[in-house]
Amino acid sequence: MHSPKFESITNKHMIIDFRSDTVTRPTPAMLEAMMKATVGDDVFGEDPAVNELEQTAATLFGKEAALFCPSGTMTNQIAIKCHTQPGDEVICDADAHIYQYEGGGIAANSGASVKLLPGDRGRINALQVEQAIQPDDVHRPRTSLVCVENTSNRGGGSCYDLEELKKIKQVCDNNGLPFHIDGARLFNALVAKNETPRPYGELFDSISICLSKSLGCPVGSLLLGDARFIKKAKRVRKLFGGGMRQVGYLAAAGIYALQHHIERLSEDHEHAKTIGAALQTQNYVERVMPVETNIVIFETKGISAKDLVAQLKEHSVLAYAIAPDKVRLVLHLDITKDMVTRTIQILENLKIA
């Protein structure tokens, strides 16, 4: 039986959802901004809120243009298709979202193959990239794109070092390769590393940023690049069925998030570190990956990840099993300090046989 203290905690009916930072709901202020949006037909380029969002994001990173899309998967896949030809090869980490979680889109959408590199918690380095570039040989696929993910989802929210990214960029330039960043949680990295967007705009030929993860929007991602690239991307978005009409109601949420939800990401990072430290002392935890941003990944011991997630669900805590022995918790703006405290109490009182 559980202790009375544990029962008093778990009898509360509040659901604490750590499955992803995509589960957030718009704040009242964000909803108000959405309701007040002035909209038009974005396919005709006539939605004022979309135009403002795209220009705001492009300016933030020092890029010429941006394109609003329904999802980060779409922005990544559009970028890959714009940068490659069928039969080409894309270099990325073995745990990269573009490979692991985008439905085989690199092959299906672009007809490209993938060179997977064993990185350090989702991060590859310049030497690996240089050694992975295919020689000019008709028997080999043509290397045509290098992709990195910052932060790395399966790497536990790990952040790239900017100097290493500059080294990878140099390799790309030396070999005439475009450089794309899946920046679904790039703002987490910027806050954690105390960096600014402009250097990333200078490094990358294309940038994908997600609004519906850490920034708390209900829908949407942005693809950034120079004007020529975004013109091509807009055609590919149409091909993918991604054109939207009076979508300014959603774009207004993105504008609000860029103005109000970036600095607060440090709260999520602190909450994640607090939970990570608590997990370190539990006998059913083999290892906790280093916690840098808002993601906590830990390996289980004596219980499968699936069974541990099921036990947590019994106490109204939702988590995600990303492997047979790995559980992921993602912090976000809907997780309060009290929820973190309650979660730690639950974790400390779990009874693992």
Side-chain angles (χ1 to χ4, degrees):
M1 287 187 61
H2 300 305
S3 67
K5 179 182 178 182
F6 191 45
E7 289 296 340
S8 68
I9 296 165
T10 57
N11 282 341
K12 298 175 182 177
H13 297 295
M14 180 187 299
I15 293 176
I16 306 176
D17 196 343
F18 294 106
R19 289 173 299 170
S20 176
D21 42 9
T22 61
V23 302
T24 59
R25 291 168 174 78
T27 63
M30 181 181 283
L31 279 173
E32 183 178 0
M34 294 167 69
M35 292 292 290
K36 291 181 177 179
T38 302
V39 301
D41 191 318
D42 180 52
V43 174
F44 287 115
E46 296 175 353
D47 190 299
V50 172
N51 294 341
E52 181 182 348
L53 172 63
E54 291 174 344
Q55 187 57 56
T56 298
T59 300
L60 192 62
F61 284 86
K63 305 301 282 186
E64 289 181 341
L67 186 65
F68 187 44
C69 296
S71 71
T73 292
M74 182 175 282
T75 50
N76 283 330
Q77 291 300 315
I78 288 173
I80 293 167
K81 190 165 183 66
C82 287
H83 288 308
T84 66
Q85 294 293 323
D88 286 355
E89 187 168 82
V90 178
I91 293 175
C92 67
D93 184 86
D95 278 334
H97 191 281
I98 61 169
Y99 177 75
Q100 292 281 351
Y101 296 125
E102 298 188 6
I106 297 174
N109 298 319
S110 300
S113 59
V114 189
K115 182 72 170 181
L116 299 176
L117 303 182
D120 171 25
R121 291 189 290 130
R123 301 165 300 182
I124 55 179
N125 61 50
L127 179 60
Q128 287 179 299
V129 172
E130 187 172 32
Q131 293 176 342
I133 296 171
Q134 295 284 8
D136 186 7
D137 183 336
V138 295
H139 300 90
R140 305 288 189 94
R142 183 179 72 95
T143 302
S144 63
L145 177 63
V146 176
C147 293
V148 295
E149 180 184 347
N150 197 24
T151 67
S152 170
N153 176 11
R154 290 181 63 86
S158 59
C159 303
Y160 268 92
D161 181 80
L162 186 58
E163 293 306 310
E164 189 62 43
L165 291 175
K166 290 178 181 178
K167 293 177 184 177
I168 298 174
K169 172 64 172 176
Q170 188 62 57
V171 172
C172 290
D173 287 348
N174 292 345
N175 291 274
L177 300 176
F179 195 17
H180 173 71
I181 184 169
D182 172 5
R185 297 182 177 90
L186 180 54
F187 287 104
N188 290 94
L190 295 177
V191 169
K193 304 281 281 186
N194 195 28
E195 294 171 347
T196 58
R198 284 295 180 109
Y200 286 81
E202 294 170 1
L203 280 179
F204 292 94
D205 297 283
S206 54
I207 298 173
S208 169
I209 55 174
C210 192
L211 302 170
S212 61
K213 289 189 171 70
S214 298
L215 295 185
C217 295
V219 175
S221 288
L222 288 156
L223 181 62
L224 284 60
D226 63 29
R228 184 178 179 182
F229 172 81
I230 293 300
K231 182 178 180 180
K232 184 176 182 181
K234 189 171 291 187
R235 177 174 287 275
V236 177
R237 184 184 71 173
K238 176 64 176 178
L239 174 68
F240 286 175
M244 300 176 284
R245 301 295 179 174
Q246 289 75 28
V247 74
Y249 297 110
L250 297 175
I255 295 168
Y256 182 88
L258 290 175
Q259 293 172 342
H260 300 283
H261 285 177
I262 295 176
E263 290 186 6
R264 63 149 304 280
L265 293 174
S266 60
E267 299 175 19
D268 298 340
H269 301 171
E270 287 304 312
H271 288 165
K273 290 173 183 175
T274 300
I275 291 174
L279 283 165
Q280 295 275 10
T281 64
Q282 305 311 309
N283 61 9
Y284 55 83
V285 175
E286 180 68 32
R287 182 176 75 96
V288 181
M289 294 179 70
V291 180
E292 293 186 56
T293 52
N294 68 319
I295 299 177
V296 182
I297 293 178
F298 63 95
E299 295 178 10
T300 59
K301 180 172 61 176
I303 185 173
S304 71
K306 181 180 177 181
D307 288 344
L308 182 58
V309 166
Q311 282 205 30
L312 289 172
K313 188 175 182 180
E314 291 179 4
H315 303 295
S316 300
V317 174
L318 305 183
Y320 185 55
I322 64 168
D325 64 343
K326 289 183 181 178
V327 175
R328 186 188 72 175
L329 307 173
V330 185
L331 280 296
H332 50 78
L333 63 82
D334 283 355
I335 300 294
T336 65
K337 185 176 181 179
D338 286 345
M339 289 178 177
V340 171
T341 300
R342 181 182 165 209
T343 298
I344 290 172
Q345 291 174 325
I346 291 170
L347 290 169
E348 290 176 343
N349 285 277
L350 284 179
K351 302 301 181 183
I352 307 300

